[in-house]
Amino acid sequence: MTEDAKPRRRFLQALAIVPASTLAVGGLTTACTSGDDGKTAQAAKPYAPTYFTQPEWTFIVAAVDHLIPADDYGPGAIAAGVPEFIDRQMETPFGHGKLWYMEGPFHTDQVPELGYQLNQNPRQVYRHGIEACNAWCVKTHGKVYAELDKALQEQILKDLQGGKIRFDTVPATTFFSFLLSNTKEGFFADPIYGGNKNMVGWKMVGFPGARADYMDWVDQPNVKYPYGPVSISGEKG
């Protein structure tokens, strides 16, 4: 675990004050901590991506493992099924860019307050971004991203975020922004969207999920809520 891991986990805990059951917009075998005994529960079937190609999928798996690594606080993005969440989002209106204005003109030099200015939807951003990043890695380090050592992988992500690496087909910072945002969403969204397997994200921050009634606890300040999280589907964590 890197020195950044614990601060990153604390950041995720702060992020999770947003109701996680509303976060989602739209072959990996995942392992996650089971509900009560802390043992590892293996997913029944490996997930086969529907949008990402195998090289793209390998990139996603390697990258999200750095963004939310497993640590002393609990499972990370891989165990939570974040790659599956991102792949499934590519087939939603979000992935196709149907949730915001996507007609021209496009002025990429404008301030963020003026809205999304790229003529590529998230599916295209991921496709072009992964291809460009792998090409940059091969040119610079002789291997695609997923084949590089862990320390170098993490540094590349930092350089993408900081704008130190530039691509011709898509802004590297935009690509990283989608990757980071979707990783956090996949870790905390309701499990019906493919991520947050066994509600590991909710358990980490103590979020009770989609329970319908908290009236018995409204007048009990500073009393820890005793029940585990519940998915929109009714699944209990």
Side-chain angles (χ1 to χ4, degrees):
M1 180 174 61
T2 67
E3 290 298 318
D4 290 338
K6 288 187 178 180
R8 184 184 299 133
R9 183 69 62 152
R10 287 195 290 269
F11 169 73
L12 288 167
Q13 287 177 308
L15 172 75
I17 61 175
V18 178
S21 61
T22 64
L23 275 175
V25 286
L28 174 71
T29 301
T30 58
C32 55
T33 304
S34 60
D36 298 318
D37 58 11
K39 296 180 181 179
T40 298
Q42 196 74 11
K45 294 181 180 179
Y47 176 77
T50 59
Y51 174 70
F52 292 119
T53 65
Q54 192 57 47
E56 292 168 345
W57 180 249
T58 303
F59 177 98
I60 293 289
V61 172
V64 303
D65 193 33
H66 286 283
L67 297 177
I68 305 181
D71 58 21
D72 294 341
Y73 290 89
I78 301 300
V82 168
E84 176 181 342
F85 170 86
I86 296 176
D87 182 68
R88 289 172 59 174
Q89 287 298 302
M90 296 301 99
E91 304 298 342
T92 67
F94 164 79
H96 288 272
K98 301 294 186 182
L99 301 181
W100 57 84
Y101 186 77
M102 283 291 294
E103 301 295 331
F106 302 99
H107 299 289
T108 57
D109 58 344
Q110 298 300 307
V111 295
E113 287 77 10
L114 294 182
Y116 189 71
Q117 293 289 332
L118 204 62
N119 64 342
Q120 299 180 40
N121 60 37
R123 290 162 58 97
Q124 295 166 321
V125 169
Y126 272 103
R127 180 135 293 161
H128 294 157
I130 294 172
E131 180 182 27
C133 189
N134 274 334
W136 183 91
C137 290
V138 170
K139 181 179 179 180
T140 308
H141 301 289
K143 298 178 181 179
V144 297
Y145 177 83
E147 296 176 357
L148 299 173
D149 65 73
K150 296 291 186 180
L152 185 53
Q153 287 179 356
E154 183 144 346
Q155 185 59 51
I156 289 170
L157 292 179
K158 291 179 179 179
D159 290 345
L160 289 175
Q161 184 179 32
K164 296 180 180 179
I165 298 174
R166 303 181 70 87
F167 302 145
D168 293 331
T169 53
V170 64
T173 52
T174 300
F175 167 57
F176 180 84
S177 178
F178 272 117
L179 179 63
L180 179 60
S181 295
N182 295 155
T183 297
K184 292 185 289 187
E185 290 166 354
F187 195 75
F188 287 117
D190 192 283
I192 64 173
Y193 300 105
N196 194 14
K197 300 290 186 185
N198 203 35
M199 289 160 265
V200 295
W202 291 355
K203 291 174 182 176
M204 186 192 75
V205 298
F207 180 68
R211 288 188 175 274
D213 184 5
Y214 300 95
M215 293 302 295
D216 292 341
W217 301 92
V218 171
D219 296 325
Q220 300 187 54
N222 301 318
V223 175
K224 183 177 180 180
Y225 189 72
Y227 304 116
V230 176
S231 166
I232 293 173
S233 69
E235 174 192 358
K236 295 181 179 180

mmCIF file of all heavy atoms in Angstrom, residues 164-200:
data_model
loop_
_atom_site.group_PDB
_atom_site.id
_atom_site.type_symbol
_atom_site.label_atom_id
_atom_site.label_comp_id
_atom_site.label_asym_id
_atom_site.label_seq_id
_atom_site.Cartn_x
_atom_site.Cartn_y
_atom_site.Cartn_z
ATOM 1 N N LYS A 164 0.475 16.380 -17.376
ATOM 2 C CA LYS A 164 1.864 16.255 -17.817
ATOM 3 C C LYS A 164 2.007 15.341 -19.032
ATOM 4 O O LYS A 164 3.059 15.318 -19.672
ATOM 5 C CB LYS A 164 2.724 15.733 -16.664
ATOM 6 C CG LYS A 164 2.797 16.686 -15.479
ATOM 7 C CD LYS A 164 3.665 16.118 -14.365
ATOM 8 C CE LYS A 164 3.736 17.080 -13.187
ATOM 9 N NZ LYS A 164 4.572 16.537 -12.078
ATOM 10 N N ILE A 165 0.969 14.563 -19.316
ATOM 11 C CA ILE A 165 0.941 13.708 -20.503
ATOM 12 C C ILE A 165 -0.151 14.237 -21.418
ATOM 13 O O ILE A 165 -1.261 14.526 -20.969
ATOM 14 C CB ILE A 165 0.666 12.239 -20.126
ATOM 15 C CG1 ILE A 165 1.787 11.698 -19.232
ATOM 16 C CG2 ILE A 165 0.528 11.378 -21.377
ATOM 17 C CD1 ILE A 165 1.525 10.295 -18.703
ATOM 18 N N ARG A 166 0.153 14.359 -22.689
ATOM 19 C CA ARG A 166 -0.806 14.912 -23.642
ATOM 20 C C ARG A 166 -1.075 13.897 -24.750
ATOM 21 O O ARG A 166 -0.163 13.217 -25.228
ATOM 22 C CB ARG A 166 -0.280 16.219 -24.238
ATOM 23 C CG ARG A 166 0.048 17.277 -23.187
ATOM 24 C CD ARG A 166 0.546 18.559 -23.819
ATOM 25 N NE ARG A 166 -0.517 19.254 -24.531
ATOM 26 C CZ ARG A 166 -1.345 20.127 -23.951
ATOM 27 N NH1 ARG A 166 -1.231 20.389 -22.666
ATOM 28 N NH2 ARG A 166 -2.272 20.733 -24.657
ATOM 29 N N PHE A 167 -2.349 13.809 -25.144
ATOM 30 C CA PHE A 167 -2.764 12.936 -26.237
ATOM 31 C C PHE A 167 -3.284 13.785 -27.393
ATOM 32 O O PHE A 167 -3.744 14.911 -27.190
ATOM 33 C CB PHE A 167 -3.876 11.983 -25.782
ATOM 34 C CG PHE A 167 -3.514 11.102 -24.618
ATOM 35 C CD1 PHE A 167 -4.477 10.758 -23.676
ATOM 36 C CD2 PHE A 167 -2.229 10.608 -24.461
ATOM 37 C CE1 PHE A 167 -4.165 9.943 -22.601
ATOM 38 C CE2 PHE A 167 -1.903 9.789 -23.390
ATOM 39 C CZ PHE A 167 -2.873 9.459 -22.455
ATOM 40 N N ASP A 168 -3.255 13.226 -28.590
ATOM 41 C CA ASP A 168 -3.772 13.932 -29.760
ATOM 42 C C ASP A 168 -5.279 13.757 -29.930
ATOM 43 O O ASP A 168 -5.956 14.644 -30.447
ATOM 44 C CB ASP A 168 -3.069 13.435 -31.033
ATOM 45 C CG ASP A 168 -1.593 13.798 -31.066
ATOM 46 O OD1 ASP A 168 -1.229 14.834 -30.473
ATOM 47 O OD2 ASP A 168 -0.815 13.038 -31.681
ATOM 48 N N THR A 169 -5.816 12.615 -29.485
ATOM 49 C CA THR A 169 -7.209 12.283 -29.786
ATOM 50 C C THR A 169 -8.207 12.727 -28.727
ATOM 51 O O THR A 169 -9.400 12.875 -29.013
ATOM 52 C CB THR A 169 -7.351 10.765 -29.977
ATOM 53 O OG1 THR A 169 -6.794 10.095 -28.829
ATOM 54 C CG2 THR A 169 -6.614 10.315 -31.236
ATOM 55 N N VAL A 170 -7.750 12.918 -27.494
ATOM 56 C CA VAL A 170 -8.635 13.296 -26.396
ATOM 57 C C VAL A 170 -7.783 13.962 -25.317
ATOM 58 O O VAL A 170 -6.627 13.558 -25.114
ATOM 59 C CB VAL A 170 -9.367 12.053 -25.823
ATOM 60 C CG1 VAL A 170 -8.383 11.072 -25.213
ATOM 61 C CG2 VAL A 170 -10.430 12.452 -24.820
ATOM 62 N N PRO A 171 -8.296 14.983 -24.641
ATOM 63 C CA PRO A 171 -7.525 15.571 -23.540
ATOM 64 C C PRO A 171 -7.276 14.536 -22.441
ATOM 65 O O PRO A 171 -8.219 13.906 -21.950
ATOM 66 C CB PRO A 171 -8.423 16.709 -23.044
ATOM 67 C CG PRO A 171 -9.308 17.037 -24.200
ATOM 68 C CD PRO A 171 -9.548 15.735 -24.898
ATOM 69 N N ALA A 172 -6.028 14.354 -22.065
ATOM 70 C CA ALA A 172 -5.689 13.347 -21.062
ATOM 71 C C ALA A 172 -6.363 13.640 -19.726
ATOM 72 O O ALA A 172 -6.768 12.720 -19.004
ATOM 73 C CB ALA A 172 -4.174 13.266 -20.887
ATOM 74 N N THR A 173 -6.498 14.923 -19.383
ATOM 75 C CA THR A 173 -7.134 15.274 -18.114
ATOM 76 C C THR A 173 -8.620 14.924 -18.121
ATOM 77 O O THR A 173 -9.173 14.526 -17.096
ATOM 78 C CB THR A 173 -6.956 16.773 -17.814
ATOM 79 O OG1 THR A 173 -7.392 17.540 -18.946
ATOM 80 C CG2 THR A 173 -5.494 17.097 -17.516
ATOM 81 N N THR A 174 -9.270 15.064 -19.272
ATOM 82 C CA THR A 174 -10.683 14.688 -19.381
ATOM 83 C C THR A 174 -10.841 13.183 -19.232
ATOM 84 O O THR A 174 -11.735 12.697 -18.524
ATOM 85 C CB THR A 174 -11.259 15.135 -20.728
ATOM 86 O OG1 THR A 174 -11.147 16.556 -20.847
ATOM 87 C CG2 THR A 174 -12.726 14.735 -20.857
ATOM 88 N N PHE A 175 -9.978 12.440 -19.887
ATOM 89 C CA PHE A 175 -10.001 10.982 -19.774
ATOM 90 C C PHE A 175 -9.817 10.552 -18.323
ATOM 91 O O PHE A 175 -10.582 9.731 -17.800
ATOM 92 C CB PHE A 175 -8.906 10.393 -20.659
ATOM 93 C CG PHE A 175 -8.621 8.938 -20.406
ATOM 94 C CD1 PHE A 175 -9.618 7.983 -20.511
ATOM 95 C CD2 PHE A 175 -7.335 8.523 -20.062
ATOM 96 C CE1 PHE A 175 -9.353 6.639 -20.271
ATOM 97 C CE2 PHE A 175 -7.062 7.193 -19.826
ATOM 98 C CZ PHE A 175 -8.066 6.244 -19.927
ATOM 99 N N PHE A 176 -8.834 11.126 -17.647
ATOM 100 C CA PHE A 176 -8.601 10.756 -16.254
ATOM 101 C C PHE A 176 -9.783 11.162 -15.379
ATOM 102 O O PHE A 176 -10.157 10.429 -14.448
ATOM 103 C CB PHE A 176 -7.322 11.399 -15.725
ATOM 104 C CG PHE A 176 -7.053 11.043 -14.287
ATOM 105 C CD1 PHE A 176 -6.403 9.871 -13.958
ATOM 106 C CD2 PHE A 176 -7.484 11.876 -13.259
ATOM 107 C CE1 PHE A 176 -6.182 9.523 -12.629
ATOM 108 C CE2 PHE A 176 -7.269 11.537 -11.935
ATOM 109 C CZ PHE A 176 -6.613 10.363 -11.614
ATOM 110 N N SER A 177 -10.377 12.304 -15.656
ATOM 111 C CA SER A 177 -11.510 12.773 -14.859
ATOM 112 C C SER A 177 -12.676 11.800 -14.924
ATOM 113 O O SER A 177 -13.302 11.484 -13.903
ATOM 114 C CB SER A 177 -11.947 14.157 -15.341
ATOM 115 O OG SER A 177 -13.065 14.617 -14.610
ATOM 116 N N PHE A 178 -12.981 11.299 -16.121
ATOM 117 C CA PHE A 178 -14.036 10.293 -16.255
ATOM 118 C C PHE A 178 -13.665 9.027 -15.488
ATOM 119 O O PHE A 178 -14.501 8.448 -14.781
ATOM 120 C CB PHE A 178 -14.270 9.951 -17.727
ATOM 121 C CG PHE A 178 -15.277 10.834 -18.408
ATOM 122 C CD1 PHE A 178 -14.904 11.652 -19.464
ATOM 123 C CD2 PHE A 178 -16.603 10.848 -18.011
ATOM 124 C CE1 PHE A 178 -15.828 12.470 -20.097
ATOM 125 C CE2 PHE A 178 -17.542 11.659 -18.642
ATOM 126 C CZ PHE A 178 -17.151 12.474 -19.690
ATOM 127 N N LEU A 179 -12.432 8.590 -15.636
ATOM 128 C CA LEU A 179 -11.988 7.362 -14.980
ATOM 129 C C LEU A 179 -12.104 7.476 -13.464
ATOM 130 O O LEU A 179 -12.619 6.567 -12.798
ATOM 131 C CB LEU A 179 -10.543 7.062 -15.384
ATOM 132 C CG LEU A 179 -9.900 5.811 -14.778
ATOM 133 C CD1 LEU A 179 -10.638 4.554 -15.221
ATOM 134 C CD2 LEU A 179 -8.426 5.732 -15.171
ATOM 135 N N LEU A 180 -11.650 8.585 -12.907
ATOM 136 C CA LEU A 180 -11.704 8.769 -11.460
ATOM 137 C C LEU A 180 -13.144 8.894 -10.962
ATOM 138 O O LEU A 180 -13.535 8.249 -9.980
ATOM 139 C CB LEU A 180 -10.907 10.010 -11.066
ATOM 140 C CG LEU A 180 -10.896 10.361 -9.573
ATOM 141 C CD1 LEU A 180 -10.300 9.233 -8.748
ATOM 142 C CD2 LEU A 180 -10.137 11.665 -9.336
ATOM 143 N N SER A 181 -13.946 9.702 -11.640
ATOM 144 C CA SER A 181 -15.337 9.895 -11.213
ATOM 145 C C SER A 181 -16.124 8.593 -11.274
ATOM 146 O O SER A 181 -16.851 8.244 -10.336
ATOM 147 C CB SER A 181 -16.019 10.954 -12.088
ATOM 148 O OG SER A 181 -15.433 12.218 -11.903
ATOM 149 N N ASN A 182 -15.979 7.860 -12.366
ATOM 150 C CA ASN A 182 -16.717 6.608 -12.511
ATOM 151 C C ASN A 182 -16.232 5.544 -11.538
ATOM 152 O O ASN A 182 -17.014 4.690 -11.106
ATOM 153 C CB ASN A 182 -16.618 6.092 -13.942
ATOM 154 C CG ASN A 182 -17.289 6.987 -14.960
ATOM 155 O OD1 ASN A 182 -16.927 6.976 -16.132
ATOM 156 N ND2 ASN A 182 -18.255 7.794 -14.534
ATOM 157 N N THR A 183 -14.957 5.589 -11.180
ATOM 158 C CA THR A 183 -14.439 4.654 -10.182
ATOM 159 C C THR A 183 -15.074 4.915 -8.823
ATOM 160 O O THR A 183 -15.515 3.984 -8.133
ATOM 161 C CB THR A 183 -12.908 4.767 -10.078
ATOM 162 O OG1 THR A 183 -12.323 4.396 -11.332
ATOM 163 C CG2 THR A 183 -12.362 3.850 -8.991
ATOM 164 N N LYS A 184 -15.151 6.173 -8.426
ATOM 165 C CA LYS A 184 -15.778 6.512 -7.148
ATOM 166 C C LYS A 184 -17.264 6.165 -7.165
ATOM 167 O O LYS A 184 -17.807 5.648 -6.177
ATOM 168 C CB LYS A 184 -15.559 7.998 -6.838
ATOM 169 C CG LYS A 184 -14.106 8.334 -6.537
ATOM 170 C CD LYS A 184 -13.921 9.770 -6.104
ATOM 171 C CE LYS A 184 -14.110 10.750 -7.219
ATOM 172 N NZ LYS A 184 -13.757 12.139 -6.809
ATOM 173 N N GLU A 185 -17.930 6.441 -8.281
ATOM 174 C CA GLU A 185 -19.350 6.100 -8.389
ATOM 175 C C GLU A 185 -19.549 4.592 -8.277
ATOM 176 O O GLU A 185 -20.466 4.122 -7.593
ATOM 177 C CB GLU A 185 -19.899 6.619 -9.715
ATOM 178 C CG GLU A 185 -20.002 8.130 -9.783
ATOM 179 C CD GLU A 185 -20.229 8.649 -11.191
ATOM 180 O OE1 GLU A 185 -20.198 7.847 -12.146
ATOM 181 O OE2 GLU A 185 -20.425 9.867 -11.336
ATOM 182 N N GLY A 186 -18.696 3.826 -8.960
ATOM 183 C CA GLY A 186 -18.823 2.373 -8.925
ATOM 184 C C GLY A 186 -18.583 1.789 -7.551
ATOM 185 O O GLY A 186 -19.132 0.741 -7.206
ATOM 186 N N PHE A 187 -17.778 2.467 -6.747
ATOM 187 C CA PHE A 187 -17.484 1.976 -5.404
ATOM 188 C C PHE A 187 -18.631 2.252 -4.437
ATOM 189 O O PHE A 187 -18.835 1.504 -3.483
ATOM 190 C CB PHE A 187 -16.200 2.630 -4.889
ATOM 191 C CG PHE A 187 -15.600 1.943 -3.691
ATOM 192 C CD1 PHE A 187 -14.931 0.738 -3.824
ATOM 193 C CD2 PHE A 187 -15.700 2.504 -2.430
ATOM 194 C CE1 PHE A 187 -14.372 0.098 -2.724
ATOM 195 C CE2 PHE A 187 -15.147 1.880 -1.319
ATOM 196 C CZ PHE A 187 -14.481 0.669 -1.465
ATOM 197 N N PHE A 188 -19.395 3.323 -4.684
ATOM 198 C CA PHE A 188 -20.433 3.726 -3.735
ATOM 199 C C PHE A 188 -21.861 3.619 -4.269
ATOM 200 O O PHE A 188 -22.812 3.808 -3.509
ATOM 201 C CB PHE A 188 -20.191 5.167 -3.275
ATOM 202 C CG PHE A 188 -19.038 5.309 -2.326
ATOM 203 C CD1 PHE A 188 -17.926 6.055 -2.678
ATOM 204 C CD2 PHE A 188 -19.046 4.698 -1.086
ATOM 205 C CE1 PHE A 188 -16.853 6.194 -1.808
ATOM 206 C CE2 PHE A 188 -17.985 4.830 -0.208
ATOM 207 C CZ PHE A 188 -16.884 5.578 -0.571
ATOM 208 N N ALA A 189 -22.056 3.342 -5.547
ATOM 209 C CA ALA A 189 -23.409 3.259 -6.093
ATOM 210 C C ALA A 189 -24.134 2.021 -5.572
ATOM 211 O O ALA A 189 -23.525 1.093 -5.038
ATOM 212 C CB ALA A 189 -23.356 3.223 -7.619
ATOM 213 N N ASP A 190 -25.443 2.006 -5.735
ATOM 214 C CA ASP A 190 -26.196 0.818 -5.352
ATOM 215 C C ASP A 190 -25.698 -0.386 -6.151
ATOM 216 O O ASP A 190 -25.408 -0.267 -7.350
ATOM 217 C CB ASP A 190 -27.689 1.045 -5.613
ATOM 218 C CG ASP A 190 -28.549 -0.028 -4.976
ATOM 219 O OD1 ASP A 190 -28.609 -1.148 -5.531
ATOM 220 O OD2 ASP A 190 -29.151 0.236 -3.929
ATOM 221 N N PRO A 191 -25.598 -1.549 -5.535
ATOM 222 C CA PRO A 191 -25.080 -2.738 -6.228
ATOM 223 C C PRO A 191 -25.864 -3.149 -7.468
ATOM 224 O O PRO A 191 -25.335 -3.897 -8.299
ATOM 225 C CB PRO A 191 -25.155 -3.831 -5.151
ATOM 226 C CG PRO A 191 -25.046 -3.091 -3.862
ATOM 227 C CD PRO A 191 -25.785 -1.793 -4.090
ATOM 228 N N ILE A 192 -27.096 -2.678 -7.624
ATOM 229 C CA ILE A 192 -27.856 -3.064 -8.816
ATOM 230 C C ILE A 192 -27.189 -2.575 -10.093
ATOM 231 O O ILE A 192 -27.483 -3.074 -11.179
ATOM 232 C CB ILE A 192 -29.316 -2.558 -8.762
ATOM 233 C CG1 ILE A 192 -29.370 -1.036 -8.767
ATOM 234 C CG2 ILE A 192 -30.055 -3.143 -7.576
ATOM 235 C CD1 ILE A 192 -30.791 -0.479 -8.898
ATOM 236 N N TYR A 193 -26.266 -1.617 -9.980
ATOM 237 C CA TYR A 193 -25.593 -1.079 -11.161
ATOM 238 C C TYR A 193 -24.270 -1.780 -11.457
ATOM 239 O O TYR A 193 -23.552 -1.375 -12.361
ATOM 240 C CB TYR A 193 -25.367 0.420 -10.993
ATOM 241 C CG TYR A 193 -26.658 1.188 -10.824
ATOM 242 C CD1 TYR A 193 -27.035 1.680 -9.576
ATOM 243 C CD2 TYR A 193 -27.512 1.398 -11.901
ATOM 244 C CE1 TYR A 193 -28.228 2.362 -9.410
ATOM 245 C CE2 TYR A 193 -28.707 2.080 -11.746
ATOM 246 C CZ TYR A 193 -29.063 2.558 -10.501
ATOM 247 O OH TYR A 193 -30.252 3.235 -10.332
ATOM 248 N N GLY A 194 -23.951 -2.815 -10.702
ATOM 249 C CA GLY A 194 -22.785 -3.623 -11.026
ATOM 250 C C GLY A 194 -21.587 -3.445 -10.123
ATOM 251 O O GLY A 194 -20.723 -4.317 -10.063
ATOM 252 N N GLY A 195 -21.488 -2.312 -9.436
ATOM 253 C CA GLY A 195 -20.371 -2.081 -8.526
ATOM 254 C C GLY A 195 -20.780 -2.260 -7.076
ATOM 255 O O GLY A 195 -21.844 -2.807 -6.780
ATOM 256 N N ASN A 196 -19.927 -1.800 -6.167
ATOM 257 C CA ASN A 196 -20.211 -1.879 -4.734
ATOM 258 C C ASN A 196 -20.673 -3.280 -4.347
ATOM 259 O O ASN A 196 -21.666 -3.466 -3.638
ATOM 260 C CB ASN A 196 -21.265 -0.833 -4.352
ATOM 261 C CG ASN A 196 -21.387 -0.613 -2.852
ATOM 262 O OD1 ASN A 196 -20.541 -1.022 -2.077
ATOM 263 N ND2 ASN A 196 -22.472 0.032 -2.452
ATOM 264 N N LYS A 197 -19.943 -4.299 -4.829
ATOM 265 C CA LYS A 197 -20.307 -5.686 -4.555
ATOM 266 C C LYS A 197 -20.399 -5.931 -3.049
ATOM 267 O O LYS A 197 -19.534 -5.529 -2.283
ATOM 268 C CB LYS A 197 -19.264 -6.634 -5.153
ATOM 269 C CG LYS A 197 -19.079 -6.537 -6.659
ATOM 270 C CD LYS A 197 -20.274 -7.062 -7.424
ATOM 271 C CE LYS A 197 -19.973 -7.092 -8.925
ATOM 272 N NZ LYS A 197 -21.149 -7.492 -9.723
ATOM 273 N N ASN A 198 -21.458 -6.603 -2.670
ATOM 274 C CA ASN A 198 -21.692 -6.910 -1.261
ATOM 275 C C ASN A 198 -21.707 -5.649 -0.402
ATOM 276 O O ASN A 198 -21.485 -5.695 0.798
ATOM 277 C CB ASN A 198 -20.648 -7.898 -0.731
ATOM 278 C CG ASN A 198 -21.147 -8.667 0.483
ATOM 279 O OD1 ASN A 198 -22.325 -8.991 0.593
ATOM 280 N ND2 ASN A 198 -20.243 -8.949 1.405
ATOM 281 N N MET A 199 -21.918 -4.499 -1.082
ATOM 282 C CA MET A 199 -22.024 -3.204 -0.394
ATOM 283 C C MET A 199 -20.774 -2.861 0.415
ATOM 284 O O MET A 199 -20.839 -2.245 1.484
ATOM 285 C CB MET A 199 -23.285 -3.169 0.476
ATOM 286 C CG MET A 199 -24.556 -3.098 -0.363
ATOM 287 S SD MET A 199 -26.082 -3.606 0.486
ATOM 288 C CE MET A 199 -26.164 -5.329 -0.026
ATOM 289 N N VAL A 200 -19.605 -3.216 -0.140
ATOM 290 C CA VAL A 200 -18.359 -2.978 0.590
ATOM 291 C C VAL A 200 -18.102 -1.488 0.800
ATOM 292 O O VAL A 200 -17.553 -1.079 1.831
ATOM 293 C CB VAL A 200 -17.160 -3.634 -0.128
ATOM 294 C CG1 VAL A 200 -17.297 -5.139 -0.136
ATOM 295 C CG2 VAL A 200 -16.997 -3.099 -1.554
#
